[in-house]
């Protein structure tokens, strides 16, 4: 299993080194930055979690968190604030910003490690749930098929498809970039039913019309069959 990567950002270098050593002993891959400015020189996208002090130099931990949370590539990275600022307002501000936890100094390394494990467990579980949900959706740009509800959406608007049209579109979308012969399509969509080539062509034409501009994503290869844009 690949190690989780953690970034520790604190202007107390000794504290950074202590946290790094102990987190490494727990099996994590750890980098440290002694300022927000230094942290921003890293590829932050690679980290599974950030331990972040609030009171630092020109760019505070709060400001750094705002920067990360407003960028799509880093917005989902969990943040734990570790700070000497212990007022209720500070805690609320940190959590409202999107922090996953808030640890007040002075703290024990044991407490930090426990919080890190807890946040990573929650994040991993949440990501797995999202991946499971995504498995039941087929999407290409603004065209989406909900495989559980058997519904088609174009630009967020529900489009009514017949059972055959839905299954035909789902089959093609699930296999982008591949051209299927009419016989292959019949075997997957119509199964044990005698279907004329013209029937397939009519369904393709009707399907293209219903999904608007995304109809162009359904590819025709004369003499071979149909596919879906990769």
């Amino acid at each position: 299993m690949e190690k989780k990567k953690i970034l520790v950002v604190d202007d107390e270098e000794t504290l950074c080194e202590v946290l790094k050593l102990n987190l490494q002993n727990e099996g994590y891959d750890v980098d440290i930055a002694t300022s927000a400015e230094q942290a921003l020189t890293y590829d932050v996208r690679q980290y599974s979690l950030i331990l972040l002090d609030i009171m630092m130099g020109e760019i505070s931990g709060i400001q750094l968190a705002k920067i990360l949370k407003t960028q799509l590539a880093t917005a989902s990275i969990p943040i734990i604030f570790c700070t000497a600022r212990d007022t209720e307002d500070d805690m609320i501000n940190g959590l409202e910003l999107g922090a996953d936890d808030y640890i007040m100094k002075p703290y024990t390394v044991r407490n930090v490690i426990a919080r890190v494990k807890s946040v990573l467990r929650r994040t991993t579980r949440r990501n797995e749930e999202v991946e499971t949900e995504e498995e039941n959706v087929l999407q290409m740009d603004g065209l989406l098929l909900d495989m559980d509800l058997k519904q088609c959406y174009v630009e967020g608007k529900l489009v009514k498809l017949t059972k055959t049209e839905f299954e035909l579109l789902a089959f093609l979308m699930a296999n982008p970039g591949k051209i299927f012969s009419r016989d292959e399509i019949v075997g997957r969509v119509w199964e044990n039913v005698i279907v004329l080539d013209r029937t397939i062509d009519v369904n393709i034409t009707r399907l293209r019309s219903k999904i608007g501009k995304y109809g162009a994503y359904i590819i025709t290869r004369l003499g071979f069959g149909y596919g879906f844009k990769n």
Side-chain angles (χ1 to χ4, degrees):
M1 182 181 295
E2 186 178 354
K3 287 185 177 181
K4 298 284 188 181
K5 297 195 70 170
I6 296 174
L7 176 62
V8 178
V9 187
D10 197 304
D11 57 3
E12 296 183 49
E13 188 170 354
T14 301
L15 181 57
C16 285
E17 293 292 348
V18 170
L19 288 174
K20 179 177 181 178
L21 176 62
N22 283 273
L23 288 167
Q24 285 177 331
N25 288 340
E26 293 294 323
Y28 299 110
D29 190 355
V30 184
D31 291 326
I32 62 176
T34 54
S35 68
E37 290 87 344
Q38 182 183 2
L40 288 171
T41 66
Y42 298 166
D43 181 5
V44 182
R45 297 171 299 176
Q46 66 183 305
Y47 297 106
S48 301
L49 182 143
I50 300 173
L51 282 167
L52 181 58
D53 185 30
I54 287 182
M55 299 295 289
M56 291 189 288
E58 292 186 13
I59 301 179
S60 70
I62 291 288
Q63 290 172 310
L64 175 58
K66 286 181 179 178
I67 292 171
L68 299 179
K69 290 298 182 183
T70 55
Q71 295 180 6
L72 184 61
T74 55
S76 62
I77 299 174
I79 294 175
I80 298 177
F81 280 122
C82 300
T83 178
R85 300 186 66 174
D86 58 359
T87 68
E88 185 177 8
D89 286 343
D90 289 331
M91 185 179 298
I92 291 173
N93 289 337
L95 295 175
E96 286 183 344
L97 187 61
D100 291 77
D101 207 342
Y102 192 106
I103 306 174
M104 292 177 289
K105 294 180 179 178
Y107 50 71
T108 65
V109 172
R110 183 179 177 184
N111 184 26
V112 173
I113 291 173
R115 300 289 188 93
V116 165
K117 289 181 177 180
S118 176
V119 169
L120 287 175
R121 277 197 303 270
R122 290 203 307 269
T123 305
T124 301
R125 185 167 60 246
R126 187 164 64 235
N127 291 340
E128 288 174 350
E129 289 171 354
V130 169
E131 289 174 1
T132 300
E133 291 173 0
E134 289 178 346
E135 289 177 358
N136 296 320
V137 171
L138 291 174
Q139 184 170 10
M140 175 63 79
D141 299 330
L143 175 63
L144 183 146
L145 293 186
D146 186 320
M147 302 304 293
D148 288 332
L149 296 177
K150 307 300 182 187
Q151 291 180 330
C152 173
Y153 295 88
V154 174
E155 307 279 329
K157 295 182 179 179
L158 179 64
V159 175
K160 292 184 178 180
L161 301 181
T162 66
K163 180 178 182 294
T164 297
E165 290 166 350
F166 183 91
E167 291 180 353
L168 175 57
L169 182 56
F171 172 58
L172 295 177
M173 286 183 69
N175 299 277
K178 183 175 180 180
I179 301 300
F180 293 93
S181 68
R182 288 177 170 82
D183 287 342
E184 288 175 315
I185 293 172
V186 169
R188 292 296 296 271
V189 178
W190 279 268
E191 297 180 345
N192 299 318
V193 177
I194 298 175
V195 177
L196 300 176
D197 288 350
R198 181 61 181 160
T199 302
I200 300 173
D201 297 339
V202 168
N203 274 274
I204 290 287
T205 299
R206 193 162 54 219
L207 185 54
R208 281 176 171 152
S209 176
K210 288 186 176 183
I211 61 177
K213 65 180 182 181
Y214 298 104
Y217 285 24
I218 300 176
I219 304 166
T220 302
R221 291 287 181 266
L222 293 177
F224 294 97
Y226 295 101
F228 196 84
K229 176 181 176 182
N230 192 344

